[in-house]
Amino acid sequence: AIFGQGQCTGTPWVHLSSALLTSALYGTTFTLSFLMPDPGGLDEGDSDFAKTLRTHKALRWVHFGGMIAQMLLGIVVANGERFGLDRANDYKALRALSTVHLGIGVVTWGALTWAGSIMVF
């Protein structure tokens, strides 16, 4: 474990703190992006910018779904006993859920990075 074996049992405070901060910041920026008006209809038409903006808006839903899945899987893995998963008897299931949590994190990071980079470059 990166922050010591204490992170493997009980509440992983470092991971939880970073997850809460990331979720709060992401929620704020997602809400702003969702509520931002497009009075000029810039995403309409066949121009390169319109196509880029439509791609950006589509990727918004990909990384939003990934963030929701990350939060839900994180809660299940961290509180497995509350969901009927015992660390001793259901280790393989918890490991599989943790692997899926990691995979979704990579895909979510990729979608978010792609969405941001196409607007910058």
Side-chain angles (χ1 to χ4, degrees), residues 44-83:
E44 299 170 5
D46 291 330
S47 70
D48 286 341
F49 184 77
K51 291 176 186 177
T52 299
L53 190 53
R54 284 194 300 270
T55 302
H56 180 76
K57 287 182 175 185
L59 286 169
R60 166 178 61 191
W61 294 107
V62 174
H63 55 74
F64 176 72
M67 288 296 284
I68 298 299
Q70 282 291 89
M71 287 185 258
L72 294 175
L73 277 171
I75 290 168
V76 170
V77 170
N79 301 291
E81 59 280 346
R82 292 183 183 171
F83 295 96

Side-chain angles (χ1 to χ4, degrees), residues 6 11 13 15 18 23-24 30 33 35 38-39 44 62 68 70-71 73 75 78 84-85 97 99 112 117 120:
T11 303
W13 290 107
H15 190 88
S18 66
S23 298
F30 177 82
S33 77
L35 297 176
D38 186 10
E44 299 170 5
V62 174
I68 298 299
Q70 282 291 89
M71 287 185 258
L73 277 171
I75 290 168
L85 297 169
L97 288 172
T99 303
L112 187 60
S117 66
V120 172

